Amino acid sequence: SILRIRAAHIDDMQPAVFIEKPHRPSGIITDVIVWNDDHLENITYSGNTGDSDKTARAYEIYCEDADADGALEIPLPNAPLGANFVSEGQEIPGISWYGCSREKYTLKAYTFRLSGEKWNVSLPLDWQNRCIAVYHKQGTVNVSTFYGRKEDAISEEIFSIIAVNGENREKNM
């Protein structure tokens, strides 16, 4: 089955069709089809695995133009850092957005998002794997805190996003 088909462009502004389909229980995989001389070519397909496995992700995040350059990027969530970093709350994985061409994948944007809270944060590319975001509830207040990371430990708190939900919204502000 197919979740979404979009006509768009890849990094070199070559027209392409992005086909997003279900992948293992709740994820998505993306095929990127381009016209190559006299035939169509899936530039994300791997002959070794028989799939576009480099585009597979365990989350339902669709391709989008994350850096506003006119080409779609493929979202690949970073691996969670785990219990060594997060003792309380839930880690929010960073998302690395890759532009693609027939030759390579290029990091184009680095974001965090929490769909239930409807926020999205873009960070500088060189912050990839240098910060961690942790989500936790405090009553009717939801807090997402961003921390710097050095080697195998969390360093300083950088900033927090606070979302107030429910009937007590006015009282909590």
Side-chain angles (χ1 to χ4, degrees):
S1 73
I2 293 174
L3 298 171
R4 182 156 81 171
I5 299 175
R6 290 182 68 188
H9 293 92
I10 58 175
D11 270 0
D12 59 5
M13 297 313 288
Q14 179 179 3
V17 175
F18 287 71
I19 302 170
E20 295 175 299
K21 54 191 179 182
H23 181 70
R24 298 195 185 111
S26 61
I28 294 177
I29 195 166
T30 303
D31 292 322
V32 179
I33 313 298
V34 299
W35 188 258
N36 185 9
D37 295 326
D38 62 348
H39 65 281
L40 293 173
E41 178 185 1
N42 181 348
I43 63 172
T44 55
Y45 178 80
S46 167
N48 295 335
T49 63
D51 215 339
S52 296
D53 58 330
K54 285 186 179 180
T55 69
R57 51 224 182 249
Y59 303 98
E60 194 170 306
I61 304 171
Y62 292 96
C63 295
E64 62 184 57
D65 186 2
D67 65 348
D69 68 350
L72 288 188
E73 282 80 39
I74 299 170
L76 297 175
N78 296 354
L81 299 173
N84 292 348
F85 290 90
V86 181
S87 58
E88 293 182 24
Q90 173 188 349
E91 181 179 350
I92 305 166
I95 303 167
S96 297
W97 295 86
Y98 288 90
C100 66
S101 67
R102 281 194 269 185
E103 296 81 34
K104 62 182 178 179
Y105 291 85
T106 305
L107 180 63
K108 303 299 272 314
Y110 182 59
T111 66
F112 285 86
R113 63 175 55 181
L114 194 57
S115 58
E117 300 298 327
K118 296 187 173 144
W119 58 257
N120 184 55
V121 174
S122 294
L123 297 176
L125 294 180
D126 63 350
W127 286 27
Q128 183 187 34
N129 299 319
R130 290 187 182 174
C131 70
I132 182 172
V134 179
Y135 167 82
H136 62 276
K137 286 184 172 277
Q138 295 177 342
T140 60
V141 177
N142 300 333
V143 180
S144 300
T145 304
F146 289 75
Y147 299 92
R149 128 172 204 229
K150 290 184 180 176
E151 297 173 21
D152 290 334
I154 288 179
S155 60
E156 72 280 357
E157 181 177 325
I158 302 170
F159 64 92
S160 293
I161 296 172
I162 299 170
V164 180
N165 298 312
E167 296 173 10
N168 298 323
R169 183 182 310 240
E170 300 289 324
K171 185 169 81 174
N172 286 321
M173 297 305 286

